[in-house]
Amino acid sequence: MESVLSQTSKGYEWIVIDGGSIDGSAELIKKYVEHITYWVSEPDDGIFNAMNKGIKKASGDYLLFLNSGDCLADSDIIEYLDNCTLNDDFIVGKACSTKDTLALLKQKDNYTTEETIERLSVSAFPHQATFIHRNVFQKYGLYREDKQLASDWYLTICALIKGNATVCFIPRIIAVVEPNGISQRYHSQLYQEREQLLKETPFLYSLMSFYISNKEIVKAIRNNHLFFYLFRIYYYFYRKFSL
């Protein structure tokens, strides 16, 4: 909460969704109530139900989701985004797990190249460091609440593959995240949910399976401009008539 209050730019909404905690969270929220745009403390049906509540109350152009154990990395994060004047569907920065790694990560630039489906086959955008345009939710709906871990990943996949959503990567650490989060603790369940979601859309399942099983072929195609161009033509018509 201090990392939000310390932002040099105040051009943001601060929405707090608490799941009816009985550990003093509601009392802590009330101490900051004059700075909070909207807050609620009530039982919910899981992480994505809570995130959907926040989406419905938000009116800004971009949404960023911070968990209760996460914080913004610096006091000028919002100011930095304001100065970027970006309008992509996804603006993806970096997230580090502890403050001890912050200085090291600032020397790296892992997000200067275009994100590929190959990467999303084994990982996901860090939601604590990803600004998502509200148009994404208007076009593809809210997060699915029947899954506990993979709904944000699935919405990203649908937006990128089915909707040609745009992505911009920024060389900036956005958030310091709490280590050993729920997705790390339930790693096997996360991948089970991803596979279940993909199987509901055969085209997505086939494409992701191809990427996972043929990474060297995919890499070779991407490195050869002619083959990559032909592949994109095939991919366009396959998607057009398969969905």
Side-chain angles (χ1 to χ4, degrees), residues 41-229:
S41 180
E42 62 184 15
D44 56 44
D45 294 323
I47 294 174
F48 295 111
N49 177 242
M51 293 170 74
N52 285 340
K53 288 182 181 180
I55 295 170
K56 292 176 182 178
K57 292 297 180 180
S59 62
D61 292 330
Y62 283 92
L63 293 86
L64 176 73
F65 299 92
L66 285 177
N67 301 328
S68 59
D70 308 327
C71 64
L72 295 173
D74 295 294
S75 61
D76 65 338
I77 296 298
I78 304 299
E79 181 181 357
Y80 174 81
L81 264 294
D82 288 341
N83 293 332
C84 286
T85 62
L86 300 170
N87 59 2
D88 294 274
D89 295 307
F90 296 88
I91 301 176
V92 185
K94 305 177 189 178
C96 63
S97 59
T98 66
K99 291 184 179 180
D100 294 335
T101 62
L102 193 58
L104 176 62
L105 284 175
K106 282 185 176 179
Q107 299 174 16
K108 299 180 180 180
D109 190 1
N110 299 324
Y111 293 101
T112 57
T113 59
E114 179 184 4
E115 180 65 48
T116 64
I117 302 173
E118 178 186 1
R119 176 182 171 184
L120 286 171
S121 68
V122 295
S123 63
F125 296 154
H127 70 258
Q128 304 95 329
T130 302
F131 293 85
I132 306 173
H133 201 287
R134 65 182 303 101
N135 288 342
V136 172
F137 300 106
Q138 293 172 345
K139 290 179 181 178
Y140 306 102
L142 302 180
Y143 292 119
R144 289 183 50 162
E145 298 180 11
D146 59 327
K147 302 299 180 184
Q148 298 179 4
L149 302 173
S151 293
D152 55 340
W153 173 85
Y154 182 67
L155 182 65
T156 302
I157 289 290
C158 289
L160 294 180
I161 296 179
K162 297 171 68 174
N164 287 326
T166 60
V167 185
C168 176
F169 297 92
I170 54 177
R172 180 71 185 268
I173 296 177
I174 301 300
V176 179
V177 303
E178 188 175 36
N180 300 318
I182 186 171
S183 60
Q184 294 177 315
R185 287 184 279 119
Y186 299 96
H187 196 262
S188 59
Q189 181 182 342
L190 172 63
Y191 277 91
Q192 288 177 359
E193 287 190 8
R194 289 182 179 181
E195 186 170 5
Q196 292 169 359
L197 287 166
L198 287 177
K199 284 183 177 179
E200 295 180 10
T201 309
F203 163 72
L204 291 178
Y205 183 74
S206 299
L207 183 63
M208 296 298 288
S209 298
F210 177 81
Y211 266 84
I212 295 172
S213 304
N214 302 278
K215 291 182 179 180
E216 292 302 319
I217 296 176
V218 172
K219 183 177 180 180
I221 290 175
R222 292 185 63 86
N223 289 337
N224 186 298
H225 295 296
L226 176 59
F227 280 111
F228 184 61
Y229 180 71

Side-chain angles (χ1 to χ4, degrees), residues 1 4-5 11-19 29 32-42 49-68 134:
M1 299 180 91
V4 175
L5 283 175
Y12 61 86
E13 297 174 315
W14 185 9
I15 297 172
V16 182
I17 308 295
D18 176 59
I29 293 170
Y32 293 87
V33 69
E34 62 181 295
H35 304 286
I36 297 174
T37 307
Y38 171 86
W39 75 277
V40 65
S41 180
E42 62 184 15
N49 177 242
M51 293 170 74
N52 285 340
K53 288 182 181 180
I55 295 170
K56 292 176 182 178
K57 292 297 180 180
S59 62
D61 292 330
Y62 283 92
L63 293 86
L64 176 73
F65 299 92
L66 285 177
N67 301 328
S68 59
R134 65 182 303 101

Side-chain angles (χ1 to χ4, degrees), residues 16-34:
V16 182
I17 308 295
D18 176 59
S21 303
I22 57 173
D23 60 356
S25 293
E27 289 72 21
L28 179 62
I29 293 170
K30 291 177 182 178
K31 293 182 179 180
Y32 293 87
V33 69
E34 62 181 295

